[in-house]
Amino acid sequence: MAERRLLVLFGSQTGTAQDTAERIGREAKRRHLRCRVEALDSCDVANLIHEPLVVFVCATTGQGDPPDNMKMFWRFLFRKNLLAGSLCQLDYAVLGLGDSSYPKFNFVAKKLHKRLLQLGGNPLLPVALGDDQHDLGPDAVVDPWLVALWDKILALYPLPPGLEIISPDVRLPPKYTLQYLPEDSPHPESYLLQPPAPRAASCELHPFAARVLSNQRVTAQSHFQDVRLIEFDIAGSGITFSAGDVVMIQPQNCPEDVQQFCQLLHLEPHRRFVLEPTEPGTALPPLLPQPCTIQYLVTHYLDISCVPRRSFFELLASFSTNELEREKLQEFSSAQGQEELYSYCNRPRRTTLEVMWDFPHTTSAIPADYLLDLIPRIRPRAFSIASSMLAHPERMQILVAVVQYKTRLSKPRRGLCSTWLASLDPQQGDVRVPLWVKKGGMKFPADPATPVIMIGPGTGVAPFRAAIQERVALGRRGNCLFFGCRYKSKDFYCQTEWEELVTQGLLTLFTAFSRDQEEKVYVQHRIRENGRLVWELLTSGNAHVYLAG
């Protein structure tokens, strides 16, 4: 009988595709299939020719782009020299996750499906196109598609004699177990954040621990929005960047939340443990040190402030010993309960920690072994770099709007990363932030004679500050900036810097302060008023136009 094995590969930017891939992995285990779930860039693509059965789950980002963790796979798959029948032994299915409000809706999934077909693959089902815009979210498509998928797979690979599908009421074993170390075992402090050796290029697995040099509020104290200009010391990191590049920052949970979480789950923050995979061959989470403390796990790894997904409620329900709580959790994890889950969780942006407060009996019964199955890891956040190395060597600056808003919940919602960054005070000693740089989507013209028109309202001006600093340092003129904010006196970022450049004839600046007069004025009004100049730059100067929000 053919070996019953399934490979689930995902390309995920925000974690939704990964969550769905892991759900398929769990459902495969219930059907007694040997199953691996991996990011597309983590698998050896050349081995696809030996795989009998693969399910691809992929999101589409930006303007029809593949997520970061499938970019290498994508390049390989579209190589011209791949033979037409090279995947003829492969049975596959593609599940796409997208948003129909974008023109390139599920572009990656559609293109992947077509390419696998060209290479000789055998599709088990038509490509599934999950849509965020649907009232029930992508699950409206995913749920029925998975029912059809399992029918197809079990027809090809029937259950071995004497085995039945494991009921949803039976909890699957955790991915890892936490083996606590004796209290008196030696303490290697290896897991404390160390700046990497200069030879290691900083990346997600090896971020550079950059020292915070300054953290300055650039909006008036009376202004509703707190915006920070933060400067990092990147000397010795080997990091280089140019205008338009992006810095990725790995945030952490605030101490109060970490303390509450440990109290709710009766965890001892200073206990040390090592992780043991339940199944041989399962890789350990690359961003967790071994051994590790509970405090480190909860502070740096578990995303306790994210809005939990449906899979969270499904697993949480299985721990519940309280009938009322279990019924509610089961409702939230059912297909019928998705609208109610949306109004309980997504609409008010209720966090994982707050949900745990609402289900205290169940929360206190969560076994520590399941923490990594239950709660996703904290994802890095991207910021446009707001400075140029030519103007500030060995330094990097970012412009950060601190995210805070109200929903129907009494406590204001706060952005995890921006709130953490705003709280860092370099006066309090050596404060460090784990970061690495990614190439951005904006490329500025190489020809020094080409003028640039930059439209950057609010913190959207960040990449243009980097570009203007870079171009001025290279002696390039033809820099035209349209900047918009609410009030000249409250949120006109970098005002002095722009005005000096205007005086020196290095910058043409147009400002729109929307609330400084009766009629609201925005950047588009200033563009229209200066239409002749803009048209001249475009037609005679062949200007490039850049827009950032």
Side-chain angles (χ1 to χ4, degrees), residues 129-308:
L129 306 176
D131 185 7
D132 246 358
Q133 290 298 317
H134 192 284
D135 289 347
L136 300 176
D139 286 347
V141 167
V142 174
D143 289 0
W145 186 83
L146 282 179
V147 171
L149 178 74
W150 292 123
D151 285 349
K152 293 275 187 191
I153 289 176
L154 288 181
L156 288 172
Y157 300 94
L159 285 164
L163 286 181
E164 287 182 6
I165 295 174
I166 300 169
S167 150
D169 304 334
V170 177
R171 190 164 67 227
L172 293 170
K175 201 169 178 183
Y176 307 102
T177 55
L178 271 73
Q179 307 287 339
Y180 284 112
L181 298 176
E183 300 275 0
D184 53 2
S185 60
H187 277 233
E189 297 301 321
S190 62
Y191 59 80
L192 294 174
L193 190 58
Q194 296 295 337
R199 60 177 178 76
S202 61
C203 59
E204 185 161 7
L205 297 182
H206 304 283
F208 177 73
R211 193 158 58 89
V212 179
L213 294 174
S214 62
N215 184 349
Q216 174 197 352
R217 180 171 173 143
V218 290
T219 43
Q221 287 300 331
S222 60
H223 191 55
F224 78 100
Q225 175 84 76
D226 180 358
V227 176
R228 303 301 179 100
L229 182 66
I230 302 176
E231 183 169 53
F232 303 107
D233 179 358
I234 54 165
S237 65
I239 288 174
T240 59
F241 57 87
S242 46
D245 286 349
V246 167
V247 62
M248 304 299 294
I249 288 179
Q250 185 64 45
Q252 60 186 58
N253 291 310
C254 71
E256 302 79 57
D257 284 359
V258 172
Q259 189 185 352
Q260 277 187 20
F261 182 88
C262 290
Q263 281 170 354
L264 270 173
L265 277 87
H266 311 298
L267 294 167
E268 295 173 47
H270 300 293
R271 283 302 299 273
R272 292 163 64 253
F273 65 88
V274 289
L275 286 179
E276 297 280 345
T278 311
E279 289 185 5
T282 305
L284 290 169
L287 295 160
L288 267 188
Q290 290 266 58
C292 184
T293 62
I294 292 289
Q295 176 102 26
Y296 187 96
L297 173 73
V298 183
T299 304
H300 297 277
Y301 194 85
L302 299 179
D303 197 352
I304 58 177
S305 74
C306 72
V307 176

Side-chain angles (χ1 to χ4, degrees), residues 38-52:
E38 287 181 7
L40 276 151
D41 278 355
S42 305
C43 90
D44 184 350
V45 194
N47 280 341
L48 268 188
I49 56 168
H50 306 303
E51 291 294 339

